[in-house]
Amino acid sequence: QVQLVESGGGLVQPGGSLGLSCTASGTILSINRVGWYRQRAGGQRELVAQKFTAGTYVHSTDNRFTVSFDSAENTVYLQMKDLRPEDTAVYYCWAEIYPTNSPYSINYWGQGTQVTVSS
């Protein structure tokens, strides 16, 4: 079994910064890609940022958001700055993982964490 467990989130004022983290654990052979998505109230889940765990390529939809990965801890981070009320959403971490019992990669999701930007 593979699990992604998120931490962080909460209430932040407009213009503030916040960090999220997500740790993968379980029967993991390797992790190919990691990232973060978000879902605003009434909206669809949308990509925030993702990266390959090897190399430096990063795809981010907004340069206020920075995704990083610590391979020693199997932990993906999202650093957010200059937050706006429209960034209020549930944030989900995602990882494309090769589990030890499968030749194929599988997409795994964290449980989601609420980020609220409000004064």
Side-chain angles (χ1 to χ4, degrees):
Q1 291 281 23
V2 174
Q3 275 191 313
L4 299 185
V5 178
E6 299 181 31
S7 62
L11 176 65
V12 61
Q13 291 190 341
S17 299
L18 194 66
L20 307 178
S21 63
C22 172
T23 300
S25 64
T27 54
I28 297 170
L29 180 62
S30 65
I31 302 176
N32 187 41
R33 291 182 294 168
V34 293
W36 292 88
Y37 287 71
R38 69 184 182 186
Q39 188 166 12
R40 300 169 184 162
Q44 293 187 332
R45 195 170 296 190
E46 59 186 10
L47 174 67
V48 175
Q50 64 170 259
K51 72 181 301 293
F52 286 91
T53 58
T56 58
Y57 175 76
V58 175
H59 173 60
S60 178
T61 61
D62 191 318
N63 59 13
R64 296 179 295 126
F65 300 142
T66 303
V67 61
S68 60
F69 180 70
D70 182 339
S71 59
E73 300 292 331
N74 277 351
T75 298
V76 56
Y77 299 93
L78 181 68
Q79 190 62 38
M80 303 179 287
K81 63 180 182 180
D82 190 23
L83 285 163
R84 305 163 184 167
E86 55 265 37
D87 295 319
T88 296
V90 178
Y91 285 72
Y92 297 90
C93 65
W94 160 83
E96 180 190 12
I97 293 175
Y98 286 88
T100 56
N101 60 352
S102 172
Y104 307 106
S105 66
I106 300 174
N107 291 320
Y108 291 91
W109 294 89
Q111 77 276 18
T113 187
Q114 177 71 44
V115 172
T116 302
V117 185
S118 175
S119 55

mmCIF file of all heavy atoms in Angstrom, residues 26-78:
data_model
loop_
_atom_site.group_PDB
_atom_site.id
_atom_site.type_symbol
_atom_site.label_atom_id
_atom_site.label_comp_id
_atom_site.label_asym_id
_atom_site.label_seq_id
_atom_site.Cartn_x
_atom_site.Cartn_y
_atom_site.Cartn_z
ATOM 1 N N GLY A 26 5.111 3.702 2.172
ATOM 2 C CA GLY A 26 4.565 2.409 1.782
ATOM 3 C C GLY A 26 5.488 1.667 0.843
ATOM 4 O O GLY A 26 6.696 1.881 0.819
ATOM 5 N N THR A 27 4.892 0.790 0.037
ATOM 6 C CA THR A 27 5.661 -0.089 -0.843
ATOM 7 C C THR A 27 6.013 0.630 -2.138
ATOM 8 O O THR A 27 5.457 0.371 -3.198
ATOM 9 C CB THR A 27 4.853 -1.356 -1.128
ATOM 10 O OG1 THR A 27 3.569 -0.977 -1.634
ATOM 11 C CG2 THR A 27 4.654 -2.177 0.137
ATOM 12 N N ILE A 28 6.974 1.532 -2.036
ATOM 13 C CA ILE A 28 7.365 2.399 -3.149
ATOM 14 C C ILE A 28 8.668 1.912 -3.759
ATOM 15 O O ILE A 28 9.668 1.763 -3.052
ATOM 16 C CB ILE A 28 7.523 3.851 -2.664
ATOM 17 C CG1 ILE A 28 6.179 4.396 -2.162
ATOM 18 C CG2 ILE A 28 8.064 4.727 -3.798
ATOM 19 C CD1 ILE A 28 6.294 5.729 -1.461
ATOM 20 N N LEU A 29 8.631 1.691 -5.071
ATOM 21 C CA LEU A 29 9.860 1.370 -5.783
ATOM 22 C C LEU A 29 10.550 2.664 -6.203
ATOM 23 O O LEU A 29 11.730 2.857 -5.966
ATOM 24 C CB LEU A 29 9.568 0.503 -6.995
ATOM 25 C CG LEU A 29 10.771 0.080 -7.850
ATOM 26 C CD1 LEU A 29 11.721 -0.760 -7.013
ATOM 27 C CD2 LEU A 29 10.321 -0.681 -9.092
ATOM 28 N N SER A 30 9.780 3.529 -6.838
ATOM 29 C CA SER A 30 10.328 4.814 -7.237
ATOM 30 C C SER A 30 9.191 5.808 -7.451
ATOM 31 O O SER A 30 8.045 5.423 -7.653
ATOM 32 C CB SER A 30 11.171 4.691 -8.513
ATOM 33 O OG SER A 30 10.363 4.323 -9.600
ATOM 34 N N ILE A 31 9.537 7.069 -7.407
ATOM 35 C CA ILE A 31 8.582 8.155 -7.645
ATOM 36 C C ILE A 31 9.042 8.921 -8.866
ATOM 37 O O ILE A 31 10.178 9.405 -8.898
ATOM 38 C CB ILE A 31 8.471 9.086 -6.426
ATOM 39 C CG1 ILE A 31 8.048 8.288 -5.188
ATOM 40 C CG2 ILE A 31 7.469 10.200 -6.701
ATOM 41 C CD1 ILE A 31 8.012 9.105 -3.904
ATOM 42 N N ASN A 32 8.185 9.013 -9.869
ATOM 43 C CA ASN A 32 8.562 9.629 -11.135
ATOM 44 C C ASN A 32 8.243 11.124 -11.156
ATOM 45 O O ASN A 32 9.094 11.934 -11.480
ATOM 46 C CB ASN A 32 7.850 8.939 -12.290
ATOM 47 C CG ASN A 32 8.335 9.425 -13.640
ATOM 48 O OD1 ASN A 32 9.533 9.631 -13.840
ATOM 49 N ND2 ASN A 32 7.408 9.625 -14.568
ATOM 50 N N ARG A 33 7.025 11.462 -10.814
ATOM 51 C CA ARG A 33 6.604 12.862 -10.818
ATOM 52 C C ARG A 33 5.806 13.160 -9.560
ATOM 53 O O ARG A 33 5.155 12.284 -9.000
ATOM 54 C CB ARG A 33 5.741 13.180 -12.046
ATOM 55 C CG ARG A 33 6.478 13.172 -13.369
ATOM 56 C CD ARG A 33 5.525 13.562 -14.501
ATOM 57 N NE ARG A 33 4.490 12.559 -14.703
ATOM 58 C CZ ARG A 33 3.413 12.737 -15.453
ATOM 59 N NH1 ARG A 33 3.194 13.907 -16.039
ATOM 60 N NH2 ARG A 33 2.536 11.763 -15.617
ATOM 61 N N VAL A 34 5.840 14.414 -9.135
ATOM 62 C CA VAL A 34 5.071 14.877 -7.993
ATOM 63 C C VAL A 34 4.478 16.240 -8.325
ATOM 64 O O VAL A 34 4.942 16.932 -9.235
ATOM 65 C CB VAL A 34 5.934 14.990 -6.719
ATOM 66 C CG1 VAL A 34 6.390 13.618 -6.238
ATOM 67 C CG2 VAL A 34 7.129 15.907 -6.952
ATOM 68 N N GLY A 35 3.463 16.619 -7.567
ATOM 69 C CA GLY A 35 2.885 17.930 -7.809
ATOM 70 C C GLY A 35 1.740 18.236 -6.871
ATOM 71 O O GLY A 35 1.460 17.483 -5.933
ATOM 72 N N TRP A 36 1.116 19.364 -7.180
ATOM 73 C CA TRP A 36 -0.018 19.832 -6.386
ATOM 74 C C TRP A 36 -1.136 20.277 -7.309
ATOM 75 O O TRP A 36 -0.887 20.912 -8.349
ATOM 76 C CB TRP A 36 0.418 21.005 -5.496
ATOM 77 C CG TRP A 36 1.366 20.601 -4.430
ATOM 78 C CD1 TRP A 36 2.727 20.534 -4.524
ATOM 79 C CD2 TRP A 36 1.022 20.187 -3.100
ATOM 80 N NE1 TRP A 36 3.244 20.106 -3.325
ATOM 81 C CE2 TRP A 36 2.229 19.893 -2.440
ATOM 82 C CE3 TRP A 36 -0.171 20.056 -2.393
ATOM 83 C CZ2 TRP A 36 2.278 19.461 -1.123
ATOM 84 C CZ3 TRP A 36 -0.125 19.628 -1.089
ATOM 85 C CH2 TRP A 36 1.076 19.339 -0.458
ATOM 86 N N TYR A 37 -2.346 19.948 -6.913
ATOM 87 C CA TYR A 37 -3.548 20.406 -7.573
ATOM 88 C C TYR A 37 -4.404 21.122 -6.533
ATOM 89 O O TYR A 37 -4.175 20.980 -5.329
ATOM 90 C CB TYR A 37 -4.333 19.222 -8.162
ATOM 91 C CG TYR A 37 -3.718 18.613 -9.383
ATOM 92 C CD1 TYR A 37 -2.543 17.872 -9.311
ATOM 93 C CD2 TYR A 37 -4.311 18.767 -10.635
ATOM 94 C CE1 TYR A 37 -1.974 17.315 -10.448
ATOM 95 C CE2 TYR A 37 -3.765 18.206 -11.778
ATOM 96 C CZ TYR A 37 -2.585 17.484 -11.669
ATOM 97 O OH TYR A 37 -2.040 16.933 -12.799
ATOM 98 N N ARG A 38 -5.381 21.858 -7.014
ATOM 99 C CA ARG A 38 -6.314 22.477 -6.081
ATOM 100 C C ARG A 38 -7.726 22.441 -6.664
ATOM 101 O O ARG A 38 -7.906 22.354 -7.876
ATOM 102 C CB ARG A 38 -5.916 23.920 -5.766
ATOM 103 C CG ARG A 38 -6.076 24.886 -6.918
ATOM 104 C CD ARG A 38 -5.569 26.272 -6.522
ATOM 105 N NE ARG A 38 -5.745 27.237 -7.596
ATOM 106 C CZ ARG A 38 -5.287 28.477 -7.559
ATOM 107 N NH1 ARG A 38 -4.613 28.913 -6.490
ATOM 108 N NH2 ARG A 38 -5.500 29.288 -8.565
ATOM 109 N N GLN A 39 -8.683 22.525 -5.746
ATOM 110 C CA GLN A 39 -10.085 22.534 -6.157
ATOM 111 C C GLN A 39 -10.806 23.614 -5.362
ATOM 112 O O GLN A 39 -10.948 23.506 -4.137
ATOM 113 C CB GLN A 39 -10.721 21.162 -5.924
ATOM 114 C CG GLN A 39 -12.113 21.037 -6.494
ATOM 115 C CD GLN A 39 -12.579 19.593 -6.552
ATOM 116 O OE1 GLN A 39 -11.970 18.691 -5.981
ATOM 117 N NE2 GLN A 39 -13.651 19.351 -7.264
ATOM 118 N N ARG A 40 -11.225 24.632 -6.074
ATOM 119 C CA ARG A 40 -12.004 25.687 -5.462
ATOM 120 C C ARG A 40 -13.442 25.233 -5.304
ATOM 121 O O ARG A 40 -13.911 24.333 -5.997
ATOM 122 C CB ARG A 40 -11.936 26.952 -6.309
ATOM 123 C CG ARG A 40 -10.521 27.489 -6.494
ATOM 124 C CD ARG A 40 -10.478 28.560 -7.543
ATOM 125 N NE ARG A 40 -9.134 29.022 -7.806
ATOM 126 C CZ ARG A 40 -8.778 29.692 -8.889
ATOM 127 N NH1 ARG A 40 -9.693 29.980 -9.780
ATOM 128 N NH2 ARG A 40 -7.539 30.087 -9.065
ATOM 129 N N ALA A 41 -14.175 25.886 -4.418
ATOM 130 C CA ALA A 41 -15.568 25.523 -4.179
ATOM 131 C C ALA A 41 -16.348 25.616 -5.484
ATOM 132 O O ALA A 41 -16.313 26.651 -6.176
ATOM 133 C CB ALA A 41 -16.172 26.447 -3.129
ATOM 134 N N GLY A 42 -17.032 24.559 -5.846
ATOM 135 C CA GLY A 42 -17.833 24.535 -7.056
ATOM 136 C C GLY A 42 -17.044 24.342 -8.335
ATOM 137 O O GLY A 42 -17.626 24.339 -9.424
ATOM 138 N N GLY A 43 -15.727 24.195 -8.212
ATOM 139 C CA GLY A 43 -14.889 24.067 -9.400
ATOM 140 C C GLY A 43 -14.289 22.693 -9.565
ATOM 141 O O GLY A 43 -14.475 21.805 -8.732
ATOM 142 N N GLN A 44 -13.551 22.538 -10.652
ATOM 143 C CA GLN A 44 -12.872 21.275 -10.909
ATOM 144 C C GLN A 44 -11.456 21.319 -10.357
ATOM 145 O O GLN A 44 -10.892 22.390 -10.128
ATOM 146 C CB GLN A 44 -12.842 21.013 -12.424
ATOM 147 C CG GLN A 44 -14.202 20.763 -13.035
ATOM 148 C CD GLN A 44 -14.099 20.336 -14.494
ATOM 149 O OE1 GLN A 44 -13.161 20.696 -15.193
ATOM 150 N NE2 GLN A 44 -15.065 19.561 -14.945
ATOM 151 N N ARG A 45 -10.897 20.158 -10.157
ATOM 152 C CA ARG A 45 -9.520 20.078 -9.692
ATOM 153 C C ARG A 45 -8.601 20.582 -10.812
ATOM 154 O O ARG A 45 -8.746 20.173 -11.979
ATOM 155 C CB ARG A 45 -9.168 18.639 -9.310
ATOM 156 C CG ARG A 45 -7.913 18.514 -8.487
ATOM 157 C CD ARG A 45 -7.751 17.101 -7.949
ATOM 158 N NE ARG A 45 -8.816 16.740 -7.019
ATOM 159 C CZ ARG A 45 -8.791 15.642 -6.287
ATOM 160 N NH1 ARG A 45 -7.767 14.794 -6.380
ATOM 161 N NH2 ARG A 45 -9.790 15.358 -5.471
ATOM 162 N N GLU A 46 -7.676 21.453 -10.462
ATOM 163 C CA GLU A 46 -6.790 22.050 -11.460
ATOM 164 C C GLU A 46 -5.340 21.969 -11.014
ATOM 165 O O GLU A 46 -5.041 21.992 -9.820
ATOM 166 C CB GLU A 46 -7.161 23.528 -11.701
ATOM 167 C CG GLU A 46 -7.091 24.396 -10.457
ATOM 168 C CD GLU A 46 -7.586 25.813 -10.688
ATOM 169 O OE1 GLU A 46 -8.163 26.093 -11.751
ATOM 170 O OE2 GLU A 46 -7.373 26.649 -9.790
ATOM 171 N N LEU A 47 -4.451 21.891 -11.984
ATOM 172 C CA LEU A 47 -3.031 21.791 -11.701
ATOM 173 C C LEU A 47 -2.500 23.102 -11.136
ATOM 174 O O LEU A 47 -2.814 24.184 -11.640
ATOM 175 C CB LEU A 47 -2.270 21.440 -12.977
ATOM 176 C CG LEU A 47 -0.752 21.437 -12.892
ATOM 177 C CD1 LEU A 47 -0.270 20.299 -11.989
ATOM 178 C CD2 LEU A 47 -0.137 21.326 -14.275
ATOM 179 N N VAL A 48 -1.671 22.986 -10.116
ATOM 180 C CA VAL A 48 -0.948 24.134 -9.579
ATOM 181 C C VAL A 48 0.505 24.081 -10.047
ATOM 182 O O VAL A 48 1.018 25.036 -10.632
ATOM 183 C CB VAL A 48 -1.013 24.157 -8.037
ATOM 184 C CG1 VAL A 48 -0.149 25.289 -7.489
ATOM 185 C CG2 VAL A 48 -2.452 24.297 -7.566
ATOM 186 N N ALA A 49 1.156 22.982 -9.799
ATOM 187 C CA ALA A 49 2.552 22.819 -10.205
ATOM 188 C C ALA A 49 2.920 21.349 -10.114
ATOM 189 O O ALA A 49 2.385 20.610 -9.284
ATOM 190 C CB ALA A 49 3.493 23.643 -9.332
ATOM 191 N N GLN A 50 3.845 20.922 -10.978
ATOM 192 C CA GLN A 50 4.348 19.558 -10.909
ATOM 193 C C GLN A 50 5.774 19.522 -11.405
ATOM 194 O O GLN A 50 6.224 20.440 -12.084
ATOM 195 C CB GLN A 50 3.490 18.589 -11.720
ATOM 196 C CG GLN A 50 3.470 18.842 -13.201
ATOM 197 C CD GLN A 50 2.789 17.695 -13.953
ATOM 198 O OE1 GLN A 50 3.453 16.838 -14.533
ATOM 199 N NE2 GLN A 50 1.478 17.686 -13.938
ATOM 200 N N LYS A 51 6.466 18.465 -11.024
ATOM 201 C CA LYS A 51 7.854 18.326 -11.465
ATOM 202 C C LYS A 51 8.220 16.861 -11.526
ATOM 203 O O LYS A 51 7.616 16.026 -10.847
ATOM 204 C CB LYS A 51 8.810 19.065 -10.539
ATOM 205 C CG LYS A 51 9.012 18.425 -9.185
ATOM 206 C CD LYS A 51 9.968 19.237 -8.318
ATOM 207 C CE LYS A 51 11.334 19.414 -8.900
ATOM 208 N NZ LYS A 51 12.123 18.185 -9.010
ATOM 209 N N PHE A 52 9.228 16.563 -12.346
ATOM 210 C CA PHE A 52 9.853 15.257 -12.312
ATOM 211 C C PHE A 52 10.781 15.216 -11.097
ATOM 212 O O PHE A 52 11.428 16.213 -10.764
ATOM 213 C CB PHE A 52 10.659 15.005 -13.593
ATOM 214 C CG PHE A 52 9.798 14.718 -14.786
ATOM 215 C CD1 PHE A 52 9.365 15.735 -15.622
ATOM 216 C CD2 PHE A 52 9.409 13.417 -15.074
ATOM 217 C CE1 PHE A 52 8.571 15.465 -16.723
ATOM 218 C CE2 PHE A 52 8.628 13.131 -16.173
ATOM 219 C CZ PHE A 52 8.199 14.167 -17.000
ATOM 220 N N THR A 53 10.842 14.065 -10.456
ATOM 221 C CA THR A 53 11.709 13.980 -9.286
ATOM 222 C C THR A 53 13.178 13.962 -9.678
ATOM 223 O O THR A 53 14.031 14.343 -8.875
ATOM 224 C CB THR A 53 11.389 12.729 -8.462
ATOM 225 O OG1 THR A 53 11.535 11.569 -9.295
ATOM 226 C CG2 THR A 53 9.963 12.782 -7.933
ATOM 227 N N ALA A 54 13.473 13.538 -10.882
ATOM 228 C CA ALA A 54 14.844 13.596 -11.386
ATOM 229 C C ALA A 54 14.963 14.798 -12.309
ATOM 230 O O ALA A 54 14.072 15.072 -13.106
ATOM 231 C CB ALA A 54 15.195 12.316 -12.136
ATOM 232 N N GLY A 55 16.058 15.521 -12.200
ATOM 233 C CA GLY A 55 16.229 16.681 -13.046
ATOM 234 C C GLY A 55 15.589 17.917 -12.450
ATOM 235 O O GLY A 55 15.070 17.918 -11.326
ATOM 236 N N THR A 56 15.619 18.977 -13.227
ATOM 237 C CA THR A 56 15.179 20.278 -12.714
ATOM 238 C C THR A 56 13.906 20.790 -13.367
ATOM 239 O O THR A 56 13.444 21.880 -13.050
ATOM 240 C CB THR A 56 16.287 21.325 -12.922
ATOM 241 O OG1 THR A 56 16.587 21.400 -14.321
ATOM 242 C CG2 THR A 56 17.543 20.940 -12.161
ATOM 243 N N TYR A 57 13.316 19.996 -14.280
ATOM 244 C CA TYR A 57 12.132 20.507 -14.975
ATOM 245 C C TYR A 57 10.972 20.668 -14.009
ATOM 246 O O TYR A 57 10.626 19.760 -13.261
ATOM 247 C CB TYR A 57 11.724 19.565 -16.110
ATOM 248 C CG TYR A 57 10.445 19.994 -16.784
ATOM 249 C CD1 TYR A 57 10.434 21.069 -17.680
ATOM 250 C CD2 TYR A 57 9.234 19.359 -16.500
ATOM 251 C CE1 TYR A 57 9.259 21.482 -18.277
ATOM 252 C CE2 TYR A 57 8.055 19.767 -17.092
ATOM 253 C CZ TYR A 57 8.074 20.832 -17.990
ATOM 254 O OH TYR A 57 6.907 21.246 -18.577
ATOM 255 N N VAL A 58 10.368 21.849 -14.062
ATOM 256 C CA VAL A 58 9.206 22.165 -13.244
ATOM 257 C C VAL A 58 8.155 22.833 -14.118
ATOM 258 O O VAL A 58 8.489 23.673 -14.960
ATOM 259 C CB VAL A 58 9.579 23.118 -12.085
ATOM 260 C CG1 VAL A 58 8.324 23.539 -11.313
ATOM 261 C CG2 VAL A 58 10.574 22.465 -11.150
ATOM 262 N N HIS A 59 6.919 22.442 -13.929
ATOM 263 C CA HIS A 59 5.818 23.114 -14.613
ATOM 264 C C HIS A 59 4.932 23.749 -13.556
ATOM 265 O O HIS A 59 4.365 23.056 -12.721
ATOM 266 C CB HIS A 59 5.004 22.124 -15.448
ATOM 267 C CG HIS A 59 3.767 22.732 -16.033
ATOM 268 N ND1 HIS A 59 3.806 23.801 -16.901
ATOM 269 C CD2 HIS A 59 2.462 22.444 -15.858
ATOM 270 C CE1 HIS A 59 2.584 24.131 -17.236
ATOM 271 N NE2 HIS A 59 1.738 23.324 -16.627
ATOM 272 N N SER A 60 4.833 25.054 -13.567
ATOM 273 C CA SER A 60 4.009 25.771 -12.609
ATOM 274 C C SER A 60 3.063 26.680 -13.364
ATOM 275 O O SER A 60 3.454 27.326 -14.335
ATOM 276 C CB SER A 60 4.878 26.597 -11.660
ATOM 277 O OG SER A 60 4.070 27.341 -10.762
ATOM 278 N N THR A 61 1.812 26.714 -12.914
ATOM 279 C CA THR A 61 0.825 27.569 -13.577
ATOM 280 C C THR A 61 0.881 29.005 -13.071
ATOM 281 O O THR A 61 0.232 29.877 -13.642
ATOM 282 C CB THR A 61 -0.582 27.004 -13.355
ATOM 283 O OG1 THR A 61 -0.856 26.989 -11.946
ATOM 284 C CG2 THR A 61 -0.710 25.591 -13.903
ATOM 285 N N ASP A 62 1.643 29.225 -12.002
ATOM 286 C CA ASP A 62 1.709 30.565 -11.413
ATOM 287 C C ASP A 62 3.054 30.682 -10.705
ATOM 288 O O ASP A 62 3.382 29.832 -9.878
ATOM 289 C CB ASP A 62 0.553 30.744 -10.421
ATOM 290 C CG ASP A 62 0.371 32.175 -9.952
ATOM 291 O OD1 ASP A 62 1.386 32.845 -9.676
ATOM 292 O OD2 ASP A 62 -0.778 32.619 -9.838
ATOM 293 N N ASN A 63 3.808 31.729 -11.016
ATOM 294 C CA ASN A 63 5.158 31.814 -10.446
ATOM 295 C C ASN A 63 5.142 32.186 -8.965
ATOM 296 O O ASN A 63 6.199 32.306 -8.339
ATOM 297 C CB ASN A 63 6.045 32.769 -11.245
ATOM 298 C CG ASN A 63 5.479 34.181 -11.301
ATOM 299 O OD1 ASN A 63 4.564 34.528 -10.557
ATOM 300 N ND2 ASN A 63 6.003 34.997 -12.187
ATOM 301 N N ARG A 64 3.970 32.356 -8.379
ATOM 302 C CA ARG A 64 3.890 32.562 -6.933
ATOM 303 C C ARG A 64 3.981 31.226 -6.185
ATOM 304 O O ARG A 64 4.166 31.216 -4.958
ATOM 305 C CB ARG A 64 2.563 33.250 -6.573
ATOM 306 C CG ARG A 64 2.423 34.653 -7.140
ATOM 307 C CD ARG A 64 1.069 35.259 -6.750
ATOM 308 N NE ARG A 64 -0.020 34.493 -7.374
ATOM 309 C CZ ARG A 64 -1.039 33.964 -6.691
ATOM 310 N NH1 ARG A 64 -1.114 34.121 -5.377
ATOM 311 N NH2 ARG A 64 -1.985 33.293 -7.324
ATOM 312 N N PHE A 65 3.867 30.123 -6.932
ATOM 313 C CA PHE A 65 3.861 28.795 -6.318
ATOM 314 C C PHE A 65 5.113 28.033 -6.736
ATOM 315 O O PHE A 65 5.429 27.955 -7.921
ATOM 316 C CB PHE A 65 2.620 28.008 -6.754
ATOM 317 C CG PHE A 65 1.317 28.663 -6.384
ATOM 318 C CD1 PHE A 65 0.235 28.608 -7.245
ATOM 319 C CD2 PHE A 65 1.168 29.315 -5.187
ATOM 320 C CE1 PHE A 65 -0.965 29.202 -6.897
ATOM 321 C CE2 PHE A 65 -0.030 29.914 -4.829
ATOM 322 C CZ PHE A 65 -1.105 29.859 -5.696
ATOM 323 N N THR A 66 5.785 27.451 -5.765
ATOM 324 C CA THR A 66 7.012 26.711 -6.023
ATOM 325 C C THR A 66 6.893 25.301 -5.472
ATOM 326 O O THR A 66 6.635 25.118 -4.280
ATOM 327 C CB THR A 66 8.219 27.406 -5.374
ATOM 328 O OG1 THR A 66 8.323 28.742 -5.858
ATOM 329 C CG2 THR A 66 9.500 26.645 -5.690
ATOM 330 N N VAL A 67 7.093 24.324 -6.337
ATOM 331 C CA VAL A 67 7.060 22.924 -5.914
ATOM 332 C C VAL A 67 8.483 22.405 -5.819
ATOM 333 O O VAL A 67 9.343 22.745 -6.636
ATOM 334 C CB VAL A 67 6.218 22.067 -6.894
ATOM 335 C CG1 VAL A 67 6.797 22.077 -8.290
ATOM 336 C CG2 VAL A 67 6.068 20.648 -6.368
ATOM 337 N N SER A 68 8.738 21.603 -4.804
ATOM 338 C CA SER A 68 10.050 20.994 -4.631
ATOM 339 C C SER A 68 9.875 19.598 -4.055
ATOM 340 O O SER A 68 8.803 19.252 -3.537
ATOM 341 C CB SER A 68 10.938 21.845 -3.726
ATOM 342 O OG SER A 68 10.344 21.993 -2.446
ATOM 343 N N PHE A 69 10.961 18.802 -4.146
ATOM 344 C CA PHE A 69 10.884 17.406 -3.710
ATOM 345 C C PHE A 69 12.159 17.023 -2.995
ATOM 346 O O PHE A 69 13.259 17.307 -3.477
ATOM 347 C CB PHE A 69 10.662 16.500 -4.922
ATOM 348 C CG PHE A 69 10.560 15.040 -4.574
ATOM 349 C CD1 PHE A 69 9.465 14.549 -3.901
ATOM 350 C CD2 PHE A 69 11.579 14.165 -4.928
ATOM 351 C CE1 PHE A 69 9.367 13.203 -3.585
ATOM 352 C CE2 PHE A 69 11.496 12.827 -4.625
ATOM 353 C CZ PHE A 69 10.386 12.338 -3.945
ATOM 354 N N ASP A 70 11.984 16.411 -1.857
ATOM 355 C CA ASP A 70 13.103 15.884 -1.081
ATOM 356 C C ASP A 70 13.102 14.367 -1.241
ATOM 357 O O ASP A 70 12.245 13.681 -0.671
ATOM 358 C CB ASP A 70 12.952 16.279 0.388
ATOM 359 C CG ASP A 70 14.098 15.818 1.259
ATOM 360 O OD1 ASP A 70 14.820 14.878 0.861
ATOM 361 O OD2 ASP A 70 14.278 16.380 2.338
ATOM 362 N N SER A 71 14.045 13.865 -2.015
ATOM 363 C CA SER A 71 14.046 12.429 -2.312
ATOM 364 C C SER A 71 14.423 11.590 -1.092
ATOM 365 O O SER A 71 14.022 10.433 -0.988
ATOM 366 C CB SER A 71 15.005 12.126 -3.466
ATOM 367 O OG SER A 71 16.316 12.547 -3.142
ATOM 368 N N ALA A 72 15.173 12.164 -0.189
ATOM 369 C CA ALA A 72 15.566 11.424 1.011
ATOM 370 C C ALA A 72 14.369 11.171 1.924
ATOM 371 O O ALA A 72 14.316 10.166 2.639
ATOM 372 C CB ALA A 72 16.649 12.183 1.767
ATOM 373 N N GLU A 73 13.402 12.088 1.879
ATOM 374 C CA GLU A 73 12.224 11.980 2.740
ATOM 375 C C GLU A 73 10.968 11.596 1.967
ATOM 376 O O GLU A 73 9.897 11.450 2.556
ATOM 377 C CB GLU A 73 11.983 13.318 3.455
ATOM 378 C CG GLU A 73 13.130 13.780 4.325
ATOM 379 C CD GLU A 73 13.322 12.881 5.529
ATOM 380 O OE1 GLU A 73 12.324 12.276 5.995
ATOM 381 O OE2 GLU A 73 14.472 12.774 6.017
ATOM 382 N N ASN A 74 11.086 11.454 0.645
ATOM 383 C CA ASN A 74 9.907 11.213 -0.201
ATOM 384 C C ASN A 74 8.809 12.230 0.092
ATOM 385 O O ASN A 74 7.627 11.881 0.213
ATOM 386 C CB ASN A 74 9.371 9.790 -0.010
ATOM 387 C CG ASN A 74 10.109 8.772 -0.857
ATOM 388 O OD1 ASN A 74 10.919 9.125 -1.721
ATOM 389 N ND2 ASN A 74 9.843 7.510 -0.619
ATOM 390 N N THR A 75 9.225 13.476 0.192
ATOM 391 C CA THR A 75 8.288 14.534 0.565
ATOM 392 C C THR A 75 8.280 15.622 -0.499
ATOM 393 O O THR A 75 9.331 16.088 -0.929
ATOM 394 C CB THR A 75 8.663 15.131 1.925
ATOM 395 O OG1 THR A 75 8.569 14.106 2.932
ATOM 396 C CG2 THR A 75 7.717 16.258 2.297
ATOM 397 N N VAL A 76 7.089 16.006 -0.888
ATOM 398 C CA VAL A 76 6.919 17.085 -1.855
ATOM 399 C C VAL A 76 6.369 18.296 -1.111
ATOM 400 O O VAL A 76 5.531 18.173 -0.212
ATOM 401 C CB VAL A 76 5.999 16.660 -3.022
ATOM 402 C CG1 VAL A 76 4.648 16.174 -2.530
ATOM 403 C CG2 VAL A 76 5.815 17.794 -4.021
ATOM 404 N N TYR A 77 6.882 19.441 -1.490
ATOM 405 C CA TYR A 77 6.518 20.687 -0.830
ATOM 406 C C TYR A 77 5.882 21.644 -1.843
ATOM 407 O O TYR A 77 6.174 21.608 -3.041
ATOM 408 C CB TYR A 77 7.752 21.363 -0.239
ATOM 409 C CG TYR A 77 8.462 20.544 0.811
ATOM 410 C CD1 TYR A 77 9.521 19.703 0.454
ATOM 411 C CD2 TYR A 77 8.075 20.601 2.140
ATOM 412 C CE1 TYR A 77 10.171 18.937 1.401
ATOM 413 C CE2 TYR A 77 8.723 19.841 3.103
ATOM 414 C CZ TYR A 77 9.773 19.017 2.726
ATOM 415 O OH TYR A 77 10.423 18.260 3.665
ATOM 416 N N LEU A 78 5.027 22.507 -1.326
ATOM 417 C CA LEU A 78 4.499 23.611 -2.118
ATOM 418 C C LEU A 78 4.662 24.874 -1.291
ATOM 419 O O LEU A 78 4.107 24.986 -0.207
ATOM 420 C CB LEU A 78 3.019 23.408 -2.473
ATOM 421 C CG LEU A 78 2.414 24.520 -3.323
ATOM 422 C CD1 LEU A 78 3.034 24.509 -4.727
ATOM 423 C CD2 LEU A 78 0.898 24.361 -3.428
#
